[in-house]
Amino acid sequence: MDRRDFIEKLALSSAALAMPQLVQAGLLPEGGKVSDFAKRLKPIGRRLEMEGYYIWCNSPIEAADGKIHIFFSRWVASKKMGGWINGSEICHAVADGPEDDFKFTGVILAPRGPGYWDATTCHNPSIKYVDGQYCLFFMGNSNGKTNTKRIGLATAPSLDGPWKRPDATLLEAGPAGAWDDHCTTNPAFIKHNGEYWLYYKSWNTTEYENSTDPVVKGNRKYGLAIAQKLEGPYIKYKGNPVIDFSSRPNNAQLEDAFVWTDKGRINMLARDMGIFNHEYGLLMQSKNGTRWDEPQVAYYDAAHYGIKQPDPPSYLKKYGRFERPQLLFQKGKPTYLFTASQGGKYMTASSFLFKIT
């Protein structure tokens, strides 16, 4: 164990012990807009640190033998953080348990080159088990830019493959001038009442190109598309967008949604982009999947957990926050929160794990 690993593990242990005292002292908000989910999180630490790569978008699933498989994005470190849009590939790793070391097994989906809709990046993996097969929802693009981001679906009979990748997109962007005319991305999927529900992020191209916001260009919203078969066609809900924060101050918005059902309600985790700040996660609930309750805090930034990290290099602009939240379910219950976070031993990015207590 090197010195940096030792310091980080010591800080995590101290943070876990200090959490009740911090709440009692009022340094962590206890009521109001803080979810019960947030109060149950215990930071465990980094996973999937790879020399020479940024790691992002960690999507876990438990196999029948109890092993934990994770599907994640990676790109070469020389591209810095912007490599996700023009050089990401989707990979696979396996561990005996969620807190164990993950063993890299290989690349599942790589950019295919000119002529394909996923020519220049494969990103945003979200793994699901649906109708007796494994479904890997993901985003690809064809020009290394945001305006060709589209959602696709790869399938396999086993978590070890072989993976059948799609020659066509699962969901296209809207017509010119629509709220979602720029792209479809950040897939979040559930099978609901026998139907196949796909939540997706998008925004309007004109608003994006003419934005004067100094922090974030455009306003990201979420739509819903529903199919009667897994492979589609996915028909966009007439009431879209189903989540729209654009009427709130400070160009408030969200991204990185993950959805699941529990006790008759649909739940959504997402990254906050201006509801509370740009550092926290959001939790929302819905009875019908189209009208959502007011957002609550789902998780905090590293500083709130007392996690000590070395000062970041100048090229890491999102240091200390956790993005792309995805849940691991074991025996039908969410047991761990997987996120992505800049930094780590190689000062790139890696998975960061929380236990749900």
Side-chain angles (χ1 to χ4, degrees), residues 13-254:
S13 299
S14 300
L17 291 172
M19 285 294 286
Q21 289 85 349
L22 290 172
V23 170
Q24 291 173 8
L27 298 178
L28 295 177
E30 173 65 18
K33 296 179 180 178
V34 179
S35 67
D36 289 338
F37 179 88
K39 300 170 189 175
R40 297 171 57 200
L41 294 179
K42 174 187 175 183
I44 300 300
R46 292 185 180 273
R47 296 295 185 273
L48 281 173
E49 296 187 88
M50 289 188 177
E51 187 172 8
Y53 289 96
Y54 282 72
I55 305 300
W56 213 248
C57 301
N58 305 274
S59 184
I61 190 169
E62 184 181 39
D65 62 2
K67 291 184 182 294
I68 307 302
H69 294 243
I70 190 166
F71 294 83
F72 61 96
S73 302
R74 76 171 188 178
W75 59 92
V76 294
S78 60
K79 289 179 174 286
K80 297 296 192 290
M81 191 63 198
W84 71 269
I85 191 65
N86 65 357
S88 178
E89 57 189 10
I90 295 174
C91 304
H92 176 220
V94 184
D96 290 333
E99 297 188 30
D100 295 321
D101 291 333
F102 282 86
K103 180 181 179 180
F104 175 76
T105 65
V107 176
I108 301 302
L109 301 172
R112 286 192 279 185
Y116 292 95
W117 68 272
D118 50 0
T120 45
T121 212
C122 296
H123 198 61
N124 286 168
S126 182
I127 185 71
K128 302 286 183 179
Y129 184 69
V130 187
D131 297 346
Q133 63 183 328
Y134 291 96
C135 300
L136 190 62
F137 296 85
F138 70 104
M139 176 274 288
N141 69 3
S142 60
N143 65 354
K145 300 179 181 179
T146 60
N147 66 335
T148 59
K149 293 199 298 180
R150 299 293 187 268
I151 291 173
L153 171 62
T155 58
S158 163
L159 288 167
D160 296 315
W163 291 93
K164 180 181 179 182
R165 66 188 301 169
D167 289 329
T169 63
L170 195 65
L171 188 67
E172 273 294 322
W179 74 272
D180 61 349
D181 69 356
H182 194 77
C183 61
T184 63
T185 188
N186 284 183
F189 174 88
I190 54 171
K191 187 174 180 181
H192 183 59
N193 293 335
E195 296 180 323
Y196 303 84
W197 284 31
L198 179 65
Y199 291 90
Y200 68 100
K201 182 185 80 178
S202 191
W203 59 91
N204 176 266
T205 298
T206 299
E207 290 180 2
Y208 179 75
E209 293 177 345
N210 297 318
S211 175
T212 59
D213 189 296
V215 179
V216 181
K217 295 198 303 181
N219 188 275
R220 287 140 188 80
K221 305 173 178 68
Y222 264 83
L224 169 64
I226 300 174
Q228 301 306 309
K229 298 180 180 179
L230 175 66
E231 63 273 18
Y234 283 81
I235 307 301
K236 293 178 181 178
Y237 174 64
K238 291 183 178 180
N240 280 343
V242 294
I243 302 177
D244 179 358
F245 294 144
S246 61
S247 63
R248 304 190 186 207
N250 303 316
N251 194 26
Q253 51 195 286
L254 76 166

